[in-house]
Amino acid sequence: MTAAFVENGQASDGRAWGYLLQTWRELDVPEGWRAEIDEGQIVLVPPRHAHHNGIAARVQRRLYATLPEDLEIYQTLGIHIAPLGKLYVPDLVVMPTELIAAADPGTSDPMDASKALLVVEITSRGNAREDRTKKYRAYARAGVPMYLLIDRFDTRGLMVTLFTEPNEDGTYKHTDAVPFGKPLTVPSPFDVQLLTEEFPGPA
């Protein structure tokens, strides 16, 4: 679902972005839904399937095993991709706790995506293409050092891919992909293996 809150068709324009952000702040989104800003409009993302939530929970549990104390994992945190005028709410995002603590408690403003250490997206039937393309490019452009894509709808089969070393052109230099069933190492500062055999497949 989308809400056409566009001014002059340009999300990157300063006035348009301010209008979109203010509208995003004021939205009364149904429980379980997420609101994102993409391509100059507000997009409503429906609630996740139980398998989707199960994968997120397993990833979060594994990351917590080695997570440094100065980092935290968030499930509903909006992040702003400033170079592209986008706002996404990843399935999981790891941020320094000091940045969250310093945020204005009176607002729900998104955090700067460039400050994230890791972003995790888990594909659903309706959004797999966006996670593989638009969000991949957006997180790279923002300089997110690690993008973990858990793709239950890849044509090659169920895949988990870790992208690292972002480029300003919207690509990542390094890709480490494994099928469900094989472990994937998430490097420092996490230094943990994801046990992908625990992940449920598509419903």
Side-chain angles (χ1 to χ4, degrees):
M1 295 177 61
T2 61
F5 296 119
V6 186
E7 182 175 302
N8 299 327
Q10 296 294 325
S12 58
D13 174 80
R15 290 188 304 122
W17 171 255
Y19 174 73
L20 284 166
L21 182 59
Q22 184 60 32
T23 304
W24 180 85
R25 290 188 189 113
E26 296 172 354
L27 279 178
D28 184 14
V29 180
E31 185 176 357
W33 288 68
R34 292 175 289 165
E36 300 184 329
I37 299 176
D38 196 6
E39 306 297 337
Q41 59 188 351
I42 294 177
V43 181
L44 297 181
V45 182
R48 308 156 177 162
H49 187 276
H51 287 179
H52 192 128
N53 287 327
I55 292 174
R58 285 171 171 83
V59 172
Q60 186 164 339
R61 187 179 303 119
R62 293 297 296 174
L63 291 175
Y64 268 133
T66 59
L67 193 71
E69 290 188 4
D70 60 344
L71 300 178
E72 187 56 89
I73 304 169
Y74 301 93
Q75 291 191 21
T76 58
L77 183 67
I79 58 174
H80 176 208
I81 295 88
L84 300 176
K86 296 176 183 287
L87 189 162
Y88 292 140
V89 183
D91 290 301
L92 298 173
V93 58
V94 178
M95 278 276 187
T97 52
E98 65 179 6
L99 294 180
I100 304 298
D104 184 349
T107 73
S108 58
D109 283 358
M111 303 299 294
D112 184 349
S114 69
K115 305 301 182 182
L117 277 294
L118 170 70
V119 166
V120 180
E121 294 285 10
I122 303 162
T123 61
S124 300
R125 291 187 187 277
N127 73 354
R129 180 178 176 83
E130 285 75 13
D131 289 346
R132 297 175 196 140
T133 56
K134 289 198 297 185
K135 290 189 176 182
Y136 164 87
R137 291 192 293 268
Y139 296 143
R141 281 289 304 277
V144 176
M146 299 184 208
Y147 173 37
L148 180 67
L149 176 62
I150 300 173
D151 195 344
R152 300 179 298 147
F153 303 95
D154 193 301
T155 56
R156 299 169 294 174
L158 287 67
M159 300 292 295
V160 182
T161 306
L162 180 65
F163 301 99
T164 54
E165 300 181 45
N167 289 310
E168 290 184 359
D169 66 358
T171 62
Y172 281 90
K173 295 179 183 178
H174 186 72
T175 302
D176 187 8
V178 300
F180 276 33
K182 291 190 176 182
L184 177 70
T185 299
V186 182
S188 179
F190 306 101
D191 295 315
V192 69
Q193 273 199 338
L194 297 180
L195 305 178
T196 68
E197 70 270 16
E198 299 178 345
F199 296 170

